Amino acid sequence: MYNETIINDTKEMVRGKLLNEGTGHDWYHIERVWKTAVTLAEKEKANRFIVELAALLHDLIDDKLVSNKDEAVQEVMYWLEGVGVTSKDSERILEIIETISFKGGNSKKLHTLEAQIVQDADRLDAIGAIGIARCFAYAGSKGDPLFDPELSVREKMTEEEYRKGKSSAVHHFYEKLLKLKDLMNTGAAREMAEERHAFMEDYLTHFFNEWEGQ
């Protein structure tokens, strides 16, 4: 059953936790993913309540943001129980937020349309103009350079290598961002991804021209 009060309470809770987060995974990222997920859910005829809650909560257990993932999962479970989400819906939401991450290309198989939609919405926010801005914000937060021509693009990585290996913001385009268009799950997301992907390709052309002093 759709419950607007639960959605609004969850929005306020997540906003309070992530408003000043500095890696590009802040509240405004969550808000954009949530809005995009709603659009995709309507187009794809998915369960909007599940999609909205999973989109709002998806980064609260991300190991980029939390030191103890098990504790973070427990906190999300307690929140869902406290606001009155059924155990069945809570299980579906937790499965989604635990399986949608890219993880260096080692992401898990998704079993529901709702999971596919939340993953697509999250990935759409990683590409295009905002995706470029977030890429550089995240690289800066890790101390990675804009670009290091001495580094090679890593084609295959373990999750540990993806998280902690040496890289640069521009390398991240080739290691993740440019792959996302072809990894979209839904037709609606694939349509949205085309223009954003093309924008990134144009950006990289300009970047390397300027890098060479042209």
Side-chain angles (χ1 to χ4, degrees):
M1 182 178 71
Y2 187 83
N3 189 314
E4 192 169 350
T5 300
I6 292 175
I7 299 295
N8 288 333
D9 287 349
T10 302
K11 283 162 61 178
E12 289 304 309
M13 181 272 289
V14 176
R15 189 178 192 277
K17 282 182 175 289
L18 296 181
L19 183 61
N20 296 313
E21 201 281 330
T23 71
H25 300 81
D26 58 7
W27 160 247
Y28 297 108
H29 160 66
I30 300 293
E31 186 178 45
R32 291 190 303 271
V33 171
W34 168 66
K35 290 177 179 177
T36 302
V38 169
T39 298
L40 295 176
E42 290 176 347
K43 289 182 177 180
E44 300 288 341
K45 307 282 192 291
N47 182 318
R48 179 168 164 172
F49 182 65
I50 298 294
V51 164
E52 289 196 57
L53 281 177
L56 289 167
L57 295 166
H58 80 275
D59 269 345
L60 293 191
I61 67 165
D62 194 313
D63 54 13
K64 294 189 295 294
L65 306 181
V66 300
S67 56
N68 188 315
K69 184 173 178 178
D70 290 337
E71 286 183 5
V73 170
Q74 285 294 323
E75 286 184 16
V76 171
M77 289 175 63
Y78 292 148
W79 171 262
L80 293 171
E81 182 180 354
V83 294
V85 177
T86 67
S87 58
K88 182 179 178 181
D89 283 349
S90 293
E91 287 175 11
R92 295 178 68 188
I93 291 161
L94 283 163
E95 181 184 6
I96 291 170
I97 66 178
E98 289 188 282
T99 55
I100 65 167
S101 181
F102 182 74
K103 298 184 184 299
N106 302 297
S107 52
K108 298 177 181 177
K109 181 176 176 59
L110 305 181
H111 300 292
T112 66
L113 175 60
E114 288 73 25
Q116 292 176 349
I117 283 171
V118 177
Q119 184 179 73
D120 283 352
D122 191 32
R123 288 177 169 180
L124 283 166
D125 203 56
I127 62 177
I130 287 176
I132 291 170
R134 291 182 65 223
C135 176
F136 285 102
Y138 184 63
S141 76
K142 292 176 63 182
D144 288 343
L146 298 178
F147 177 57
D148 183 346
E150 301 298 319
L151 294 176
S152 299
V153 173
R154 301 170 297 172
E155 290 299 330
K156 291 186 178 181
M157 298 165 275
T158 65
E159 184 179 344
E160 179 76 7
E161 289 168 339
Y162 174 67
R163 291 279 189 245
K164 298 180 179 179
K166 193 172 183 181
S167 189
S168 77
V170 169
H171 281 74
H172 193 59
F173 281 77
Y174 297 96
E175 293 171 354
K176 176 182 177 183
L177 307 188
L178 292 171
K179 298 178 179 180
L180 294 181
K181 175 178 71 72
D182 294 330
L183 295 175
M184 295 296 166
N185 301 290
T186 63
R190 284 192 288 273
E191 288 181 16
M192 294 175 69
E194 289 290 342
E195 184 176 354
R196 299 186 189 199
H197 182 88
F199 185 87
M200 292 194 300
E201 291 183 321
D202 288 343
Y203 173 82
L204 288 169
T205 298
H206 286 283
F207 182 94
F208 286 115
N209 284 343
E210 291 178 22
W211 187 268
E212 296 299 331
Q214 298 178 21

